[in-house]
């Protein structure tokens, strides 16, 4: 009789703790996490828990939401080739490419009809149709999202989304009396920034509001805004960024200057010109906005008009972003953001 193989005693497989499970799951995509909620009740409870949602948000990667004519996509900024199609049903909540939008904060966006939504989870909530959202951001002290809203009869108000509270800002009367509002905003380090113009001098400024302390200040541009066309402010690599275009140039090529400010105090604004750009003769330049800097290739991802380009700082040249699905769209809307499980 042949000798039977020696049987070794099997070792028990160590079970994963909840902390280990949360750590592993937090690195998965939102699309996978939404599917894994159906695995069992325990996973559903874990994935829906506030602590896991915060952990997943910390692990989330910054990408680019791209709004085409029929679909909404999310593009991985590191590879520039991993595209996640978020579907058509959420597109009705998104603005068309040729209109404004409020950008993204922790995966939440404000759509053209003042709808706050999470395009990754497809949750949304309608805001008051009688108000205009100026900007929004997150207050970590109270774990809530705050909207700065201009209401015709109530002035400038602060709306806490989760708490569902409204409050008139102390700067409301001064803001309405002295300034006019330009669309677009940036949210950096608990502060909202947006461009305003002085009703007295027609000079443009940047209005800054701390969402935690509700203190406000005005920041001067690094150039004369009366003789130039100005875009921004936007966030770019942690900086507050504005773009200058000389409106005196009646013929192409136009030149653009991109200025950035990393830190500011109420009495001291330190601007630095980051780079400049000269347009191709054949391009129709509505505006130029920087999105991301790639250190290894020394390139910058730009939104020029309604298209995306990579600008090479070494050669001072730019080429269209080579992503196959973009070829079918003549123009797109695009803004930075992450995919998250954040709700309201």
């Amino acid at each position: 009789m042949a000798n039977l193989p020696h049987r070794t005693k099997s070792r028990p497989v160590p079970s994963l703790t909840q902390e280990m499970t949360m750590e592993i799951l937090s690195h998965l995509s939102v699309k996978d996490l939404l599917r894994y909620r159906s695995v069992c009740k325990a996973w559903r409870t874990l994935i829906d828990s506030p602590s896991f949602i915060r952990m997943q948000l910390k692990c989330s990667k910054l990408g680019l939401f791209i709004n085409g004519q029929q679909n909404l996509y999310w593009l991985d900024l590191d590879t520039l080739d991993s595209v996640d199609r978020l579907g058509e049903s959420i597109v009705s909540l998104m603005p068309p490419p040729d209109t404004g939008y409020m950008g993204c904060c922790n995966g939440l966006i404000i759509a053209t009809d003042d709808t706050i939504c999470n395009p990754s989870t497809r949750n949304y909530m309608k805001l008051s149709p009688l108000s205009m959202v100026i900007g929004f951001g997150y207050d970590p002290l109270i774990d809530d999202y705050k909207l700065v809203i201009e209401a015709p009869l109530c002035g400038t108000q602060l709306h806490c989304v989760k708490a569902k509270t409204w409050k008139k800002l102390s700067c409301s009367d001064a803001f309405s009396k002295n300034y006019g509002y330009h669309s677009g905003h940036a949210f950096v380090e608990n502060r909202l920034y947006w461009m305003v113009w002085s009703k007295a001098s027609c000079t443009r400024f940047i209005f800054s509001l701390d969402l935690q302390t509700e203190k406000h200040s005005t920041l001067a541009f690094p150039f004369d805004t009366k003789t130039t066309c100005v875009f921004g402010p936007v966030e770019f690599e942690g900086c507050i960024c504005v773009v200058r275009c000389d409106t005196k140039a009646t013929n192409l090529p136009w030149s653009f200057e991109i200025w950035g400010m990393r830190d500011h105090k109420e009495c001291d604004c330190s601007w630095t010109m980051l780079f400049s750009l000269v347009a191709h003769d054949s391009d129709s330049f509505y505006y130029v906005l920087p999105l991301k800097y790639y250190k290894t290739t020394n390139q910058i991802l730009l939104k020029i008009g309604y298209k995306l380009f990579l600008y090479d700082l070494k050669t001072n040249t730019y080429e269209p972003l080579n992503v196959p699905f973009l070829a079918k769209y003549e123009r797109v809307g695009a803004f930075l953001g992450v995919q998250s499980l954040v709700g309201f």
Side-chain angles (χ1 to χ4, degrees), residues 6-24:
H6 179 70
R7 292 185 178 181
T8 58
K9 188 177 181 180
S10 61
R11 298 179 180 179
V13 179
S15 59
L16 294 176
T17 64
Q18 183 172 350
E19 290 76 14
M20 294 171 63
T21 304
M22 290 178 63
E23 176 66 25
I24 294 172

Side-chain angles (χ1 to χ4, degrees), residues 30-71:
V30 172
K31 181 181 291 187
D32 288 336
L33 289 172
L34 293 176
R35 289 193 295 110
Y36 291 161
R37 289 174 74 251
S38 304
V39 171
C40 61
K41 185 177 180 179
W43 277 32
R44 184 186 186 95
T45 301
L46 185 148
I47 292 173
D48 291 345
S49 66
S51 57
F52 179 79
I53 291 175
R54 287 192 294 268
M55 180 180 289
Q56 184 277 330
L57 182 61
K58 291 181 180 179
C59 298
S60 59
K61 297 173 60 177
L62 185 66
L64 192 67
F65 285 102
I66 299 177
N67 183 23
Q69 297 174 354
Q70 299 293 330
N71 291 285

Side-chain angles (χ1 to χ4, degrees), residues 84-155:
D84 187 7
R85 180 176 176 271
L86 300 180
E88 298 182 12
S89 61
I90 197 69
V91 174
S92 61
L93 304 176
M94 298 293 298
D98 55 348
T99 62
Y101 40 75
M102 301 305 298
C104 181
C105 179
N106 292 349
L108 299 182
I109 62 174
I110 301 292
T112 186
D113 58 350
D114 289 342
T115 299
I116 183 171
C117 64
N118 184 328
S120 300
T121 62
R122 304 192 181 188
N123 293 327
Y124 68 96
M125 178 179 66
K126 292 286 186 179
L127 302 174
S128 171
L130 301 178
S131 60
M132 178 181 68
V133 179
I134 294 178
F136 76 110
Y138 176 67
D139 185 348
L141 290 181
I142 62 173
D143 186 27
D144 206 345
Y145 293 85
K146 293 181 175 180
L147 310 179
V148 178
I149 293 177
E150 187 72 17
L153 301 178
C154 304

